[in-house]
Amino acid sequence: MSFLVDSIIMFTSQVLFFGFGWLFFMRQLFKDYEVRQYIVQVVFSITFAFSCTMFELIIFEILGALSSNSRYFHWKLNLYVILLVLIFVVPFYIGYFVVSNIRLLQRQKLLFACMVWFTFMYFFWKLGDPFPILSPKHGILSIEQLISRVGVIGVTLMALLSGFGAVNCPYTYMSYFLRNVTDSDILALERRLLQTMDMIVSKKKRIAMTRRQMYQRGEDQNKQTGLWGMIKSVTSTQTGSENLSLIQQEVDALEELSRQLFLETVELQATKERIEYSKTFQGKYFNFLGYFFSIYCVWKIFMATINIVFDRVGKTDPVTRGIEITVNYLGIQFDVKFWSQHISFILVGIIIVTSIRGLLITLTKFFYAISSNKSSNVIVLVLAQIMGMYFVSSVLLMRMSMPLEYRSIVTEVLGELQFNFYHRWFDVIFLVSALSSILFLYLAHKQAPEKQMAL
Amino acid sequence: MASLDRVKVLVLGDSGVGKSSLVHLLCQNQVLGNPSWTVGCSVDVRVQDYKEGTPEEKTYYIELWDVGGSLGSASSIKSTRAVFYNSVNGIMLVHDLTNKKSSQNLYRWSLEALSKDSSPTRVIVSNGDYDREQFAENSVPLLLIGTKFDQIAETKRTEVLTRTAFLSEDFNAEEINLDCTNPRYLAAGTSNAVKLSRFFDKVIEKRYFTRDPSPVSFSSPVLADMNSVVTLLFF
């Protein structure tokens, strides 16, 4: 009986998550486009719903809600569905929509989509070979095989994003890095832009005028027959077209210049807005946070290096460590079991919420930047795939942040994966990503004031 | 050329509707072979015979300013874009007949271009029941152009054409529906070509032959109440 009640609860929450994903898709992602293929929206919402359900099950695990049998059952069910979606459904539809955009392959859409899917599966399988992620006792088609590979991809993604975010966050928040931009700088640049546009216009007018004259003269020339007329027409058009190609080259160069000036003006405007924002109360608050974040990021990079160099993986989670420290060193006595449950609930809850929110915001920004009318379907599906893999691997990594008694279900359901490998892999990629973002931001920062000097 | 002599027409619309192809077709009488993203603004010049066929016939050069970008751009991009909206003599609003949202977005595009007293940022409220009187006061000639006409199935044509008829009534503008990859739609003598010439003639008339040559931009009461986050630069 309780199993039925639990299932109803799970099902209602899944429907709620599905609705949220649907709304997010309609209101945020596809604001400017018309949804022609509803299957894309459905697939996106399903991926979102099942990913969120996984997080929900972890929370239930910590809180001890629902009976443990039904929790286990729903874990398994959820995992199967999500793997099915991430490995079969989404890649197939990505292939299908990519193929329908290419005009040549319109006839045999299904056939080519299947071919694309098989290529994807081949590379997906090959991905697992160089990594020591499985114990050899499992067969080919077990769930561990699939999860391990999905986990590798997802963990790489997570580490890349965290590394970049860890460095970019203080860079954006702190106003120490903001260059000084005045209104007169922007005005001067805009004036140059308009002057360039004027020059382009006057040159194009000359081209149009010359072409018109050539056309009219050409008509008159046609009335003159015979050899002399032909020779005359050759010489006159020759000088005309030579002039034209010269002017056309100048126009091309000026157009390139106007594009660059436009982009530089946009950058200056953005910097000016950030300076204004930093003077507000909110801006000052974020600036303050930025200092804290930079210390936290330096510490994280340091810890990642230590983990790799000394080849150690943390055995205890932060919650138990924190409680141990307070109990042993500060001498504060309290009920360990009770508090560890609540604290881990809060900690895990915060991690989940911020990672979902952060991911959705990043996805939206990315989508606006690169999508167009034709490719919007494909890009949304790719984003759904990334989102699914990201969430699956966060569950994998979150195991580390939970006390021992709650880890059991994750370990049980996900089988015998080498979890330590994933943490090591995360540290490596995090370090690489953070260091390369530091290098990249340093170069970009240095290059910009040089450009300004050259103006 | 003195800047007093220019006739400037803006070409506005969502990204991907076909503004660059349209401008190329109008100015070069050729189909654009490889359309790509427009960064910033690209200008082209069309030679127009004002009052063709009459004794007052005169040749003018009309500048078509094709401003790229989307309505959801960052406010820094919008403030930079606003630089191109100065002293405009006519506006061509382009939308994609296969994408309803691009037609709806035209209200916001026209507001962005025409209202210079407030900032063209996300502050603009676009509700379905906008004020038609605002567009009646407006003295800048508008022309509505629907692209990708060939991609609409025969069965859906009447539905699409009724929708665009409503749109042209709202804007108090003529409408042209065409396919930018086929010059036949604008061949001499077609009703499209006639509407186009009429529009350009109207623009030239407003520019040169009326008392007040500079375009009037209305200040919308809706927008004036909003708090603007970005200050617009004045020239």
Side-chain angles (χ1 to χ4, degrees), chain B residues 6-223:
Chain B
R6 62 186 345 160
V7 182
K8 181 169 155 181
V9 172
L10 277 184
V11 179
L12 295 178
D14 279 353
S15 38
V17 296
K19 302 187 289 294
S20 306
S21 306
L22 176 72
V23 166
H24 198 261
L25 185 63
L26 288 178
C27 300
Q28 317 276 351
N29 290 321
Q30 275 175 353
V31 173
L32 183 60
N34 53 337
S36 62
W37 289 112
T38 316
V39 173
C41 171
S42 92
V43 195
D44 214 341
V45 167
R46 175 181 165 96
V47 180
Q48 176 75 11
D49 292 317
Y50 175 58
K51 291 210 169 148
E52 192 169 8
T54 65
E56 292 124 27
E57 177 177 333
K58 192 177 169 198
T59 313
Y60 285 95
Y61 295 97
I62 303 191
E63 304 164 22
L64 295 175
W65 289 57
D66 162 20
V67 179
S70 64
L71 283 168
S73 303
S75 51
S76 53
I77 299 185
K78 286 191 181 171
S79 325
T80 318
R81 220 162 47 198
V83 154
F84 301 124
Y85 297 156
N86 284 322
S87 55
V88 157
N89 304 116
I91 302 186
M92 293 171 83
L93 295 167
V94 187
H95 65 116
D96 183 351
L97 290 169
T98 59
N99 182 355
K100 256 188 252 177
K101 289 258 174 78
S102 67
S103 323
Q104 288 164 4
N105 284 339
L106 285 181
Y107 296 109
R108 292 163 65 190
W109 275 115
S110 47
L111 277 178
E112 184 178 320
L114 290 173
S115 49
K116 294 207 274 183
D117 292 327
S118 43
S119 54
T121 64
R122 54 188 135 80
V123 150
I124 294 180
V125 166
S126 74
N127 34 11
D129 47 327
Y130 83 115
D131 198 356
R132 195 176 295 191
E133 281 147 29
Q134 289 174 353
F135 282 98
E137 277 172 24
N138 173 36
S139 67
V140 177
L142 300 172
L143 180 67
L144 202 63
I145 301 192
T147 55
K148 310 197 188 167
F149 188 57
D150 56 320
Q151 287 178 24
I152 302 202
E154 285 284 345
T155 46
K156 295 220 162 172
R157 265 195 198 167
T158 34
E159 179 194 326
V160 168
L161 290 176
T162 358
R163 183 164 51 91
T164 53
F166 275 129
L167 210 63
S168 68
E169 233 186 85
D170 278 344
F171 282 115
N172 192 22
E174 296 262 19
E175 58 156 346
I176 294 180
N177 296 318
L178 48 67
D179 166 25
C180 297
T181 59
N182 191 347
R184 144 178 100 84
Y185 284 93
L186 290 176
T190 53
S191 63
N192 285 342
V194 169
K195 285 185 199 167
L196 201 63
S197 304
R198 259 213 305 257
F199 170 70
F200 285 131
D201 285 350
K202 204 162 136 195
V203 167
I204 296 174
E205 247 179 56
K206 273 252 156 60
R207 172 74 183 81
Y208 286 111
F209 300 115
T210 51
R211 280 218 172 254
D212 185 11
S214 56
V216 173
S217 62
F218 62 85
S219 56
S220 148
V222 175
L223 298 169

Side-chain angles (χ1 to χ4, degrees), chain A residues 87-103:
Chain A
I87 299 179
F88 293 105
V89 176
V90 178
F92 176 74
Y93 274 114
I94 291 180
Y96 181 75
F97 282 114
V98 165
V99 165
S100 20
N101 269 342
I102 307 177
R103 284 204 191 172

